[in-house]
Amino acid sequence: MSGDQIDGGSRFNDSHKHKDKYKEKEHKHKDHKKDKEREKSKHGNSNHKDPSDKKHRDNEKEKMKHKDGSTDKYKDKHKEKKMKSLDGKVKKENGFASPLQVKSEPEDGFYHSPKNEKSLKRERDDDNDSEFKPKKIKTENDKKAKKRKQDEDIKPKKTKNKREVTDGKKKAKKEPEEKWKWWEEERYTDGSKWKFLEHKGPVFAPPYEPLPSNVKFYYDGKHMKLSPEAEEVATFFAKMLDHEYTTKDIFRKNFFKDWRKEMTAEEKAKLTDLKKCNFTEMSEYFKAQSEARKAMTKDEKLKIKAENERLLQEYGFCIMDNHRERIANFRIEPPGLFRGRGDHPKMGMLKRRIRPKDIIINCSKDSKHPEPPPGTKWKEVRHDNKVTWLVSWTENIQGSIKYIMLNPSSRIKGEKDWQKYETARRLKKCVDRIRTQYHEDWKSKEMRIRQRAVALYFIDKLALRAGNEKEEGETADTVGCCSLRVEHIKLYPENDGQEYVVEFDFLGKDSIRYYNKVPVEKRVFKNLQLFMENKEPDDDLFDRLNTSVLNKHLQELMDGLTAKVFRTYNASITLQQQLKQLTSADENLPAKILSYNRANRAVAILCNHQRAPPKTFEKSMQNLQTKIDAKRDQLSDAKRELKSAKADAKVRRDEKSKKTVETKKKAVQRIEEQLMKLEVQATDREENKQIALGTSKLNYLDPRISVAWCKKWGIPVEKIYNKTQREKFAWAIDMADEDFEF
DNA sequence: TCAAAGACTTAGAACTAGCCCG
DNA sequence: CGGGCTAGTTCTAAGTCTTTGA
């Protein structure tokens, strides 16, 4: 069944975003929710339990209990290996802060000291479904927490990091060998995310610098000096003048409204029409600035770089449980104009500048908490170790909370990521059962069950997202599975020689269009017809279903199962299958990598990961073609030379001419290889025109599958993962061997 | 019980560094 | 040696799912 996953259909034939189509209806479907409510109460009392439900649940529970005892063929092997690696080496704590290393190995073994016995280590492999349930960790007491305090005086090891940056000549140096292998340690089981956390707080956006007086703003043709507050907001608009956004009505309206709020009374009285505002001098000024920046001397650039590096070293890391970990986004988002995606009702609104009094700091009690800038105060300093964030604030557009969190290479993110794939692998074990069940449920006499079953089928087969309800008018009108409306699908009893075809056409996350025509089982088709009966186009297709109902059901089918697990599972299993299918042993390295990319691409198509074709696409394609042609010419020249050299050697029969033949032969080979490489590159790029591989690679594909594939075919992982990716997937690179099976 | 708040993952676009070519 | 072009990096919006609290 999972073979279905890569049918892909005709999805990419069309321009990938089509906003206009959806424009007119704007808020036609306003009263969905009410409709849903009504519907619900109408059918509300028909819920009788499917007895099989409970049975399944119990089965699953039973399985879970045994998870640790189960074995499989890889387990033992891995164990063996693990021991080796453990015995072999005394682990250092993370390489970057040497004082830390000393201090962080308290005799009392506070954190997980490397000296602890292996019993303390995490199971290295998880093949055995060892589900990623955190294993026991001893709970610590304050005496030890105190100990942590010493960490305060850890200073980043400047020299080393500096070196890496400044003489950043390629590959110069190996990373320090002792990278912390958090995956070999215990996890917390008490719901805490850390015991010690210390950081320097956020870096605020630089303050506004007023424009030089020769850069003027004109209203209705006349020069007008703006107050600094109004001027700042005006510059936000000026900076975007070249962007399509600024031509959109909603954008302009929102912008103008918010801009006026920043104006003085006089300004407000005077500036009443955005059309009469002339920002061109400002815009020119900024363009000139960015030119100037590009034209800076090497020295100046170096200086900036050094300053950035300093900032990174100071603010870009935190100490979490004895380790210096990289922070993902330590800079506060600067003020500007909100750019939503798609037809966003709030585009153009002013995104406020964040000040210290908006900021909540999270760190441990026994840490030295960051000081707010002089003369300011934090909103709050709290000590919540049940969460992973270091800093948070509330954003003014949607009123949602934003966070500063750790880098994907950190333990806290890595563990979660690993766990995600383990959950997906557990789904693999019971997916057949679940599929059988939802096939059954298509026949249920309860509408809500049939809807649930059809929705789940879509989520499984087409890798659709769950589709939470969204607040009307707050965001672009996009949908996922549970929020599909009647207008988003069309039914064809017969289409292009196939029976029971469903055509999907809707805007999903980020207003990316999902277009697909898929044949479905008759029963699904009939159900869909029924769901659509007597409904308006803007009514919900699944009016008796929402994500929380669906996830509650999934939870009963398997512990930890939610809708998104299907995406992860289907993506990873597809990669694995495709790799198996597409890789052939006799191909050379570039061809193998092409195969990898094709497998990756199959997943990206399944998950509908699209991108706007790069602006320079056509040109770069052409460039490549030119290169290929040149290489072809070069090849035929080389072949000709080889031929004549051969002829020559035949006549002369001496060592020297023989040697020439060899050289020429080599040259031909080399050029052939280069040509091949270019051609492969061209194919790859063409096929990738509107498909984004990165998202699936980063978020959906169990990295151990890729690592195993690399090991199996002797491909350097660097060909598949760049440096950042290798850091994120360090756990997988370290632990997967060539026969890892997802 | 359910809506809102909160936390965290996933996403494409914008930006940038540094490589390669003429 | 500069300029054009990617590949890699950064940015932050937009999802999912969980938790909270009325």
Side-chain angles (χ1 to χ4, degrees), chain A residues 540-562:
Chain A
D540 286 330
L541 177 63
F542 302 116
D543 52 284
R544 322 239 27 236
L545 182 71
N546 63 36
T547 52
S548 98
V549 168
L550 177 64
N551 280 336
K552 226 165 264 158
H553 171 66
L554 293 176
Q555 190 58 237
E556 284 167 6
L557 297 180
M558 183 192 104
D559 180 43
L561 187 60
T562 61

Side-chain angles (χ1 to χ4, degrees), chain A residues 14-152:
Chain A
D14 235 311
S15 91
H16 77 289
K17 293 179 191 180
H18 67 159
K19 303 167 182 161
D20 301 341
K21 186 176 171 205
Y22 289 87
K23 241 187 211 149
E24 334 149 7
K25 60 161 179 228
E26 279 273 67
H27 298 137
K28 227 171 78 192
H29 58 278
K30 239 180 235 137
D31 25 31
H32 282 169
K33 279 201 196 131
K34 271 173 271 152
D35 283 350
K36 220 168 203 175
E37 293 313 306
R38 203 177 54 224
E39 279 302 301
K40 257 179 221 161
S41 46
K42 203 155 55 187
H43 309 275
N45 31 21
S46 51
N47 51 1
H48 66 124
K49 280 253 155 46
D50 175 356
S52 62
D53 251 344
K54 187 167 184 315
K55 204 165 36 190
H56 281 309
R57 185 168 60 242
D58 291 346
N59 277 348
E60 194 52 36
K61 286 261 166 69
E62 203 48 34
K63 273 187 219 160
M64 300 309 311
K65 264 187 242 159
H66 298 308
K67 67 197 173 207
D68 281 328
S70 72
T71 55
D72 87 0
K73 62 175 169 168
Y74 302 114
K75 185 178 174 183
D76 301 336
K77 196 154 140 202
H78 278 196
K79 273 226 173 113
E80 218 174 78
K81 246 197 203 155
K82 168 176 109 189
M83 308 273 245
K84 222 188 292 166
S85 73
L86 290 177
D87 295 342
K89 172 155 67 163
V90 179
K91 270 187 297 151
K92 293 277 168 51
E93 298 263 58
N94 203 2
F96 43 58
S98 47
L100 178 59
Q101 281 168 225
V102 181
K103 296 188 176 158
S104 63
E105 301 197 0
E107 320 60 35
D108 57 8
F110 170 52
Y111 192 62
H112 332 99
S113 156
K115 282 178 239 146
N116 289 340
E117 292 317 289
K118 64 169 194 271
S119 62
L120 264 180
K121 308 292 182 193
R122 242 172 242 177
E123 252 334 290
R124 173 189 183 107
D125 203 40
D126 23 83
D127 279 348
N128 49 29
D129 193 22
S130 64
E131 175 24 4
F132 196 94
K133 280 289 167 46
K135 301 200 170 123
K136 244 242 107 55
I137 191 174
K138 21 188 188 117
T139 6
E140 286 311 327
N141 37 52
D142 336 83
K143 171 185 95 202
K144 296 168 183 169
K146 285 282 143 55
K147 195 127 197 160
R148 288 284 178 87
K149 241 185 141 171
Q150 307 166 335
D151 295 346
E152 282 168 23

Side-chain angles (χ1 to χ4, degrees), chain A residues 558-735:
Chain A
M558 183 192 104
D559 180 43
L561 187 60
T562 61
K564 86 188 186 82
V565 179
F566 282 89
R567 249 166 104 79
T568 311
Y569 161 70
N570 280 127
S572 286
I573 201 75
T574 300
L575 178 77
Q576 187 169 79
Q577 278 170 190
Q578 287 291 297
L579 283 178
K580 219 169 260 174
Q581 208 173 101
L582 297 173
T583 318
S584 54
D586 45 347
E587 281 175 335
N588 60 12
L589 191 110
K592 286 216 179 68
I593 290 172
L594 176 63
S595 298
Y596 181 89
N597 286 342
R598 284 187 161 150
N600 191 165
R601 196 141 48 230
V603 175
I605 290 170
L606 172 69
C607 295
N608 201 229
H609 291 141
Q610 302 190 33
R611 62 169 186 180
K615 288 195 178 59
T616 54
F617 186 83
E618 290 308 326
K619 182 138 51 102
S620 85
M621 225 39 216
Q622 238 162 25
N623 288 162
L624 198 54
Q625 194 53 49
T626 319
K627 269 197 210 166
I628 290 175
D629 292 343
K631 197 52 82 181
R632 284 223 173 93
D633 291 347
Q634 201 187 339
L635 180 63
S636 48
D637 287 352
K639 276 185 173 161
R640 202 170 325 112
E641 279 180 40
L642 172 61
K643 217 172 186 178
S644 74
K646 269 185 181 161
D648 196 44
K650 215 166 192 176
V651 182
R652 296 218 222 170
R653 302 182 160 280
D654 64 350
E655 271 312 301
K656 195 177 164 209
S657 53
K658 248 195 213 161
K659 227 174 181 170
T660 324
V661 172
E662 279 313 303
T663 327
K664 300 283 179 198
K665 220 182 235 167
K666 284 245 173 69
V668 168
Q669 263 174 19
R670 204 187 56 234
I671 294 167
E672 268 175 345
E673 225 160 78
Q674 289 168 340
L675 176 62
M676 166 93 140
K677 207 170 156 184
L678 285 172
E679 282 174 333
V680 162
Q681 202 187 344
T683 319
D684 208 17
R685 195 179 297 178
E686 183 64 48
E687 290 177 0
N688 241 6
K689 187 172 178 181
Q690 353 183 241
I691 301 172
L693 300 187
T695 303
S696 47
K697 205 186 220 181
L698 240 44
N699 301 301
Y700 288 103
L701 302 176
D702 187 330
R704 291 168 296 183
I705 299 171
S706 302
V707 171
W709 180 84
C710 284
K711 289 191 174 154
K712 174 160 184 196
W713 300 106
I715 302 203
V717 255
E718 298 79 48
K719 299 280 179 198
I720 299 300
Y721 291 133
N722 68 29
K723 180 159 164 285
T724 315
Q725 294 166 161
R726 290 199 300 279
E727 279 165 14
K728 169 168 180 176
F729 297 135
W731 57 274
I733 294 171
D734 184 57
M735 74 173 125

Side-chain angles (χ1 to χ4, degrees), chain A residues 265-410:
Chain A
E266 301 94 279
E267 286 167 336
K268 222 183 252 178
K270 210 164 166 193
L271 305 178
T272 52
D273 185 1
L274 181 55
K275 281 201 292 282
K276 293 182 180 164
C277 295
N278 180 347
F279 301 94
T280 43
E281 275 193 23
M282 291 185 188
S283 171
E284 295 303 323
Y285 172 73
F286 292 123
K287 276 182 209 157
Q289 292 253 296
S290 88
E291 283 311 306
R293 218 170 310 125
K294 269 185 231 156
M296 279 184 314
T297 66
K298 262 208 177 110
D299 241 28
E300 290 171 307
K301 283 185 183 167
L302 233 56
K303 229 181 211 157
I304 292 180
K305 208 174 150 180
E307 172 59 14
N308 278 333
E309 178 61 21
R310 193 189 65 75
L311 224 62
L312 172 68
Q313 289 305 328
E314 178 162 8
Y315 294 96
F317 294 83
C318 70
I319 304 292
M320 184 178 278
D321 291 346
N322 286 336
H323 297 274
R324 185 165 179 255
E325 300 239 57
R326 180 84 189 265
I327 297 168
N329 55 326
F330 58 92
R331 287 169 209 271
I332 297 275
E333 299 173 17
L337 303 183
F338 176 76
R339 308 145 85 113
R341 299 170 186 227
D343 261 332
H344 197 115
K346 299 195 170 182
M347 63 168 85
M349 283 175 59
L350 175 63
K351 205 169 100 165
R352 226 187 58 238
R353 177 179 293 274
I354 305 302
R355 299 138 305 168
K357 65 172 173 157
D358 303 315
I359 295 288
I360 301 174
I361 297 286
N362 192 31
C363 59
S364 53
K365 269 205 188 88
D366 57 346
S367 78
K368 188 168 138 237
H369 71 249
E371 289 303 323
T376 66
K377 280 193 170 142
W378 302 126
K379 179 178 182 182
E380 182 191 338
V381 174
R382 67 171 76 155
H383 310 291
D384 181 358
N385 78 344
K386 300 286 189 275
V387 297
T388 68
W389 53 267
L390 319 185
V391 172
S392 76
W393 70 93
T394 300
E395 151 268 355
N396 68 303
I397 303 287
Q398 319 275 359
S400 63
I401 306 171
K402 299 250 182 163
Y403 304 93
I404 291 183
M405 291 184 185
L406 297 194
N407 198 72
S409 62
S410 61

